[in-house]
Amino acid sequence: MRTPAASPRTSLLSRRPEWAGRNYLLLTAAAMVTNLGAHGALIATAFAVMESGGDSGDVGLVAAARIAPLVLFLLIGGAVADRIPRHRVMVAANALNFASQGVFAVLVLTGDPQLWQMMLLTALCGTGQAFFNPAAEGMLMSSVSGEQVSRAFALFRMAMHGAGIGGAALGGAMIAAFGPGWVLAIDAAAFAVAGAMRAFLDVSHIAKREAGGGLLADLREGWHEFVGRPWLWSIVAQFSIVVALVGAAESVYGPLVARDQLGGARPWGIALAFFGVGTLVGAVLMMRWKPRRMLLVGTLGVFPIALPSAALAVPLDVVGLSAAMFVSGVAIEVFGVAWMTTLHQEIPEEKLSRVSAYDWFGSTAMLPLSTALAGPAESLFGRSTALWGSATLIVVVTALVLLVPDVRNLRRRTKEVSGSATLAKAGAPHPVVETPTGHPGS
């Protein structure tokens, strides 16, 4: 007896990996949409400020205006995301980002935007991101399980950064051809589309949070989870410096070097696109490579992040700068997948957003200061000296983190943390459970 032939849809679903569930696919698709718009918008914002008559100090102030509320509201956002359904927080944040970027685009397209208007609108966008980031990270980590979580994270990041490649290249080209306003409008539309997709996320598998002692109690509990792991707080402290230095280089110095010595927005867009290609290559690498000592390998991957600052300090031509950005992209992806896998392994699901909020808060706390001071630092020391100083500090703080024993010794496990994270207290290394092939499971 003949059986009915499988439909193309059924065949496609049967080939889908078991960890690629509905939520995972929705989160991945939505991240691709937002990254397509966001990478171009980063360039467009800087050039919108410069085209309105702003200098390096004004570019830094607008960048700082976005980061300041991000830092201010992150901890609240993490606590909120562990209290109410995370997808609702994500959708509300996307709606705010859509509105703020849409108004910014209209101002740029129809007139001469004032500095205070641009700072206010980017501050609203940063507020949305403060609530979105912890909710999104917790949602992503709760959407995957089993032995292939690192592969799932790598594929997610590969898709996300792959969209960024096109976004950066398209953004640079569109700014050169039509101006920054249309790029900001595309970013606003991307937030609207992504928010609609995230509204369909299913949170029925996540246990309902019981009412606790209030928001402050939730924040204290998240803090205890955070400070109880030396590997966690030491790397976050490291990245508070690394992110600040890289942020100043990319938000302020990069566009200025492109304008003054590389020929405008297009070369900087190409360099950012090569960074995206590097992250893509790094994600492919991490889909196959499962290092036993995840944090050690990830931390070693931070050293090349200093290369773009050094390349801008010389400055290298667009080919040399693009090469530095490519290597940096590969390196940060090695760290990123290792970091996400470690958090998924060590942090209980019900505390993911709060711990993620402390991670984001620590990592971005110094970014408003660094972007605001980038212009004065250029005036005081010179652009080249400021960039060389940034590259040197990245290397130094990364070397210091390697002195923490837990960073060197924490290992991959096949069994996940459930309930309380008492086994992971103080970041104690865990025994490695090996697969029959002799490679640690993931």
Side-chain angles (χ1 to χ4, degrees):
M1 185 172 71
R2 297 173 60 123
T3 58
S7 69
R9 175 184 170 86
T10 303
S11 177
L12 177 63
L13 292 175
S14 66
R15 293 196 300 269
R16 188 181 67 188
E18 60 177 310
W19 44 261
R22 179 175 177 273
N23 276 0
Y24 176 84
L25 294 177
L26 277 172
L27 288 166
T28 302
M32 291 175 66
V33 172
T34 50
N35 271 265
L36 184 64
H39 280 249
L42 285 175
I43 312 171
T45 298
F47 278 87
V49 175
M50 290 187 286
E51 288 186 6
S52 68
D55 57 14
S56 62
D58 294 330
V59 173
L61 286 174
V62 172
R66 175 170 182 164
I67 301 301
L70 173 62
V71 174
L72 182 63
F73 294 112
L74 262 173
L75 298 183
I76 298 174
V80 168
D82 275 342
R83 276 182 165 261
I84 65 176
R86 291 173 180 144
H87 71 307
R88 293 183 183 176
V89 179
M90 297 167 70
V91 171
N94 284 164
L96 178 58
N97 291 148
F98 160 71
S100 60
Q101 289 294 81
V103 173
F104 196 172
V106 170
L107 287 176
V108 174
L109 288 170
T110 61
D112 184 19
Q114 302 300 306
L115 179 63
W116 70 267
Q117 294 173 323
M118 293 185 284
M119 291 179 66
L120 175 62
L121 291 169
T122 53
L124 289 174
C125 196
T127 301
Q129 290 301 112
F131 285 86
F132 176 85
N133 290 342
E137 191 156 308
M139 194 72 201
L140 175 64
M141 292 189 182
S142 70
S143 73
V144 296
S145 61
E147 297 185 357
Q148 300 297 328
V149 292
S150 62
R151 179 169 293 180
F153 294 144
L155 182 59
F156 173 85
R157 293 171 67 93
M158 180 172 65
M160 182 178 65
H161 294 310
I165 296 171
L170 180 62
M174 286 191 65
I175 292 168
F178 307 110
W182 287 109
V183 178
L184 293 168
I186 290 173
D187 188 39
F191 277 120
V193 173
M197 296 172 70
R198 288 164 177 144
F200 291 97
L201 290 168
D202 180 12
V203 296
S204 61
H205 66 289
I206 301 176
K208 187 177 180 181
R209 311 299 193 250
E210 297 197 13
L215 193 65
L216 290 179
D218 285 351
L219 291 173
R220 283 195 299 270
E221 188 176 7
W223 173 252
H224 290 314
E225 291 287 335
F226 176 76
V227 298
R229 296 171 171 80
W231 60 266
L232 179 56
W233 60 256
S234 63
I235 288 180
V236 171
Q238 168 205 11
F239 267 78
S240 69
I241 298 174
V242 172
V243 171
L245 297 172
V246 172
E250 291 190 354
S251 299
V252 181
Y253 296 135
L256 291 173
V257 171
R259 182 194 65 181
D260 296 342
Q261 296 170 281
L262 298 179
R266 188 186 298 271
W268 183 234
I270 292 172
L272 290 176
F274 269 89
F275 175 82
V277 174
T279 62
L280 192 65
V281 172
V284 172
L285 171 65
M286 294 305 287
M287 286 187 70
R288 298 179 174 273
W289 185 29
K290 299 172 184 176
R292 179 181 301 178
R293 299 188 182 187
M294 300 174 290
L295 286 183
L296 175 61
V297 170
T299 302
L300 292 174
V302 179
F303 284 107
I305 299 175
L307 290 175
S309 293
L312 289 169
V314 174
L316 298 180
D317 60 15
V318 66
V319 175
L321 177 60
S322 297
M325 294 287 278
F326 172 82
V327 174
S328 176
V330 174
I332 196 59
E333 203 61 21
V334 171
F335 171 82
V337 174
W339 182 246
M340 292 184 72
T341 304
T342 303
L343 291 178
H344 183 275
Q345 173 178 290
E346 301 295 323
I347 308 299
E349 191 279 333
E350 69 273 12
K351 299 173 183 177
L352 278 171
S353 288
R354 276 168 288 173
V355 172
S356 173
Y358 279 102
D359 175 15
W360 277 96
F361 176 81
S363 298
T364 59
M366 294 179 63
L367 192 51
L369 184 63
S370 70
T371 52
L373 292 179
E378 179 187 18
S379 300
L380 185 61
F381 303 110
R383 188 183 299 168
S384 180
T385 300
L387 285 164
W388 279 120
S390 296
T392 302
L393 275 176
I394 291 172
V395 171
V396 170
V397 298
T398 303
L400 290 174
V401 167
L402 291 175
L403 299 177
V404 179
D406 295 336
V407 172
R408 301 193 306 271
N409 298 327
L410 194 146
R411 300 189 180 197
R412 185 186 300 268
R413 297 198 315 273
T414 55
K415 293 184 178 180
E416 300 169 19
V417 174
S418 60
S420 173
T422 53
L423 290 176
K425 208 65 176 172
H430 300 277
V432 176
V433 180
E434 293 192 338
T435 64
T437 61
H439 299 289
S442 60

PDB file of all heavy atoms in Angstrom, residues 387-399:
ATOM      1  N   LEU A 387      43.222  56.841  20.526  1.00  0.00           N
ATOM      2  CA  LEU A 387      42.931  55.507  19.993  1.00  0.00           C
ATOM      3  C   LEU A 387      43.997  54.487  20.393  1.00  0.00           C
ATOM      4  O   LEU A 387      43.679  53.340  20.719  1.00  0.00           O
ATOM      5  CB  LEU A 387      42.800  55.584  18.471  1.00  0.00           C
ATOM      6  CG  LEU A 387      41.483  56.205  17.971  1.00  0.00           C
ATOM      7  CD1 LEU A 387      41.596  56.602  16.505  1.00  0.00           C
ATOM      8  CD2 LEU A 387      40.333  55.218  18.163  1.00  0.00           C
ATOM      9  N   TRP A 388      45.273  54.886  20.385  1.00  0.00           N
ATOM     10  CA  TRP A 388      46.323  53.969  20.842  1.00  0.00           C
ATOM     11  C   TRP A 388      46.137  53.632  22.320  1.00  0.00           C
ATOM     12  O   TRP A 388      46.356  52.487  22.747  1.00  0.00           O
ATOM     13  CB  TRP A 388      47.699  54.579  20.618  1.00  0.00           C
ATOM     14  CG  TRP A 388      48.236  54.446  19.224  1.00  0.00           C
ATOM     15  CD1 TRP A 388      48.587  55.454  18.375  1.00  0.00           C
ATOM     16  CD2 TRP A 388      48.495  53.224  18.513  1.00  0.00           C
ATOM     17  NE1 TRP A 388      49.034  54.947  17.182  1.00  0.00           N
ATOM     18  CE2 TRP A 388      48.990  53.581  17.233  1.00  0.00           C
ATOM     19  CE3 TRP A 388      48.335  51.880  18.824  1.00  0.00           C
ATOM     20  CZ2 TRP A 388      49.341  52.634  16.283  1.00  0.00           C
ATOM     21  CZ3 TRP A 388      48.666  50.928  17.871  1.00  0.00           C
ATOM     22  CH2 TRP A 388      49.173  51.307  16.611  1.00  0.00           C
ATOM     23  N   GLY A 389      45.741  54.622  23.109  1.00  0.00           N
ATOM     24  CA  GLY A 389      45.473  54.362  24.520  1.00  0.00           C
ATOM     25  C   GLY A 389      44.340  53.362  24.701  1.00  0.00           C
ATOM     26  O   GLY A 389      44.403  52.493  25.583  1.00  0.00           O
ATOM     27  N   SER A 390      43.301  53.459  23.875  1.00  0.00           N
ATOM     28  CA  SER A 390      42.187  52.520  23.938  1.00  0.00           C
ATOM     29  C   SER A 390      42.649  51.096  23.644  1.00  0.00           C
ATOM     30  O   SER A 390      42.296  50.147  24.363  1.00  0.00           O
ATOM     31  CB  SER A 390      41.095  52.930  22.947  1.00  0.00           C
ATOM     32  OG  SER A 390      40.531  54.171  23.291  1.00  0.00           O
ATOM     33  N   ALA A 391      43.431  50.929  22.585  1.00  0.00           N
ATOM     34  CA  ALA A 391      43.916  49.604  22.220  1.00  0.00           C
ATOM     35  C   ALA A 391      44.764  48.999  23.340  1.00  0.00           C
ATOM     36  O   ALA A 391      44.639  47.808  23.668  1.00  0.00           O
ATOM     37  CB  ALA A 391      44.723  49.683  20.922  1.00  0.00           C
ATOM     38  N   THR A 392      45.615  49.804  23.951  1.00  0.00           N
ATOM     39  CA  THR A 392      46.485  49.311  25.016  1.00  0.00           C
ATOM     40  C   THR A 392      45.677  48.882  26.237  1.00  0.00           C
ATOM     41  O   THR A 392      45.939  47.827  26.833  1.00  0.00           O
ATOM     42  CB  THR A 392      47.500  50.403  25.421  1.00  0.00           C
ATOM     43  OG1 THR A 392      48.269  50.776  24.280  1.00  0.00           O
ATOM     44  CG2 THR A 392      48.425  49.903  26.519  1.00  0.00           C
ATOM     45  N   LEU A 393      44.684  49.671  26.627  1.00  0.00           N
ATOM     46  CA  LEU A 393      43.873  49.326  27.794  1.00  0.00           C
ATOM     47  C   LEU A 393      43.081  48.039  27.587  1.00  0.00           C
ATOM     48  O   LEU A 393      42.912  47.240  28.522  1.00  0.00           O
ATOM     49  CB  LEU A 393      42.920  50.478  28.109  1.00  0.00           C
ATOM     50  CG  LEU A 393      43.483  51.607  28.965  1.00  0.00           C
ATOM     51  CD1 LEU A 393      42.465  52.730  29.109  1.00  0.00           C
ATOM     52  CD2 LEU A 393      43.871  51.082  30.347  1.00  0.00           C
ATOM     53  N   ILE A 394      42.583  47.812  26.375  1.00  0.00           N
ATOM     54  CA  ILE A 394      41.858  46.566  26.092  1.00  0.00           C
ATOM     55  C   ILE A 394      42.755  45.366  26.343  1.00  0.00           C
ATOM     56  O   ILE A 394      42.350  44.363  26.957  1.00  0.00           O
ATOM     57  CB  ILE A 394      41.329  46.567  24.648  1.00  0.00           C
ATOM     58  CG1 ILE A 394      40.204  47.601  24.500  1.00  0.00           C
ATOM     59  CG2 ILE A 394      40.824  45.181  24.252  1.00  0.00           C
ATOM     60  CD1 ILE A 394      39.747  47.820  23.076  1.00  0.00           C
ATOM     61  N   VAL A 395      44.003  45.440  25.898  1.00  0.00           N
ATOM     62  CA  VAL A 395      44.944  44.331  26.092  1.00  0.00           C
ATOM     63  C   VAL A 395      45.245  44.134  27.580  1.00  0.00           C
ATOM     64  O   VAL A 395      45.264  43.003  28.081  1.00  0.00           O
ATOM     65  CB  VAL A 395      46.246  44.591  25.296  1.00  0.00           C
ATOM     66  CG1 VAL A 395      47.316  43.560  25.664  1.00  0.00           C
ATOM     67  CG2 VAL A 395      45.960  44.560  23.799  1.00  0.00           C
ATOM     68  N   VAL A 396      45.448  45.216  28.297  1.00  0.00           N
ATOM     69  CA  VAL A 396      45.829  45.123  29.716  1.00  0.00           C
ATOM     70  C   VAL A 396      44.715  44.508  30.553  1.00  0.00           C
ATOM     71  O   VAL A 396      44.945  43.582  31.340  1.00  0.00           O
ATOM     72  CB  VAL A 396      46.220  46.511  30.254  1.00  0.00           C
ATOM     73  CG1 VAL A 396      46.379  46.467  31.778  1.00  0.00           C
ATOM     74  CG2 VAL A 396      47.518  46.988  29.616  1.00  0.00           C
ATOM     75  N   VAL A 397      43.481  45.005  30.425  1.00  0.00           N
ATOM     76  CA  VAL A 397      42.394  44.492  31.267  1.00  0.00           C
ATOM     77  C   VAL A 397      42.055  43.041  30.923  1.00  0.00           C
ATOM     78  O   VAL A 397      41.659  42.260  31.799  1.00  0.00           O
ATOM     79  CB  VAL A 397      41.140  45.375  31.171  1.00  0.00           C
ATOM     80  CG1 VAL A 397      41.434  46.777  31.676  1.00  0.00           C
ATOM     81  CG2 VAL A 397      40.572  45.410  29.764  1.00  0.00           C
ATOM     82  N   THR A 398      42.237  42.652  29.673  1.00  0.00           N
ATOM     83  CA  THR A 398      41.989  41.267  29.289  1.00  0.00           C
ATOM     84  C   THR A 398      43.039  40.345  29.902  1.00  0.00           C
ATOM     85  O   THR A 398      42.724  39.242  30.381  1.00  0.00           O
ATOM     86  CB  THR A 398      41.973  41.123  27.763  1.00  0.00           C
ATOM     87  OG1 THR A 398      40.972  42.000  27.224  1.00  0.00           O
ATOM     88  CG2 THR A 398      41.655  39.696  27.344  1.00  0.00           C
ATOM     89  N   ALA A 399      44.277  40.783  29.920  1.00  0.00           N
ATOM     90  CA  ALA A 399      45.331  39.991  30.560  1.00  0.00           C
ATOM     91  C   ALA A 399      45.065  39.827  32.055  1.00  0.00           C
ATOM     92  O   ALA A 399      45.309  38.756  32.630  1.00  0.00           O
ATOM     93  CB  ALA A 399      46.693  40.647  30.328  1.00  0.00           C
TER      94      ALA A 399
END
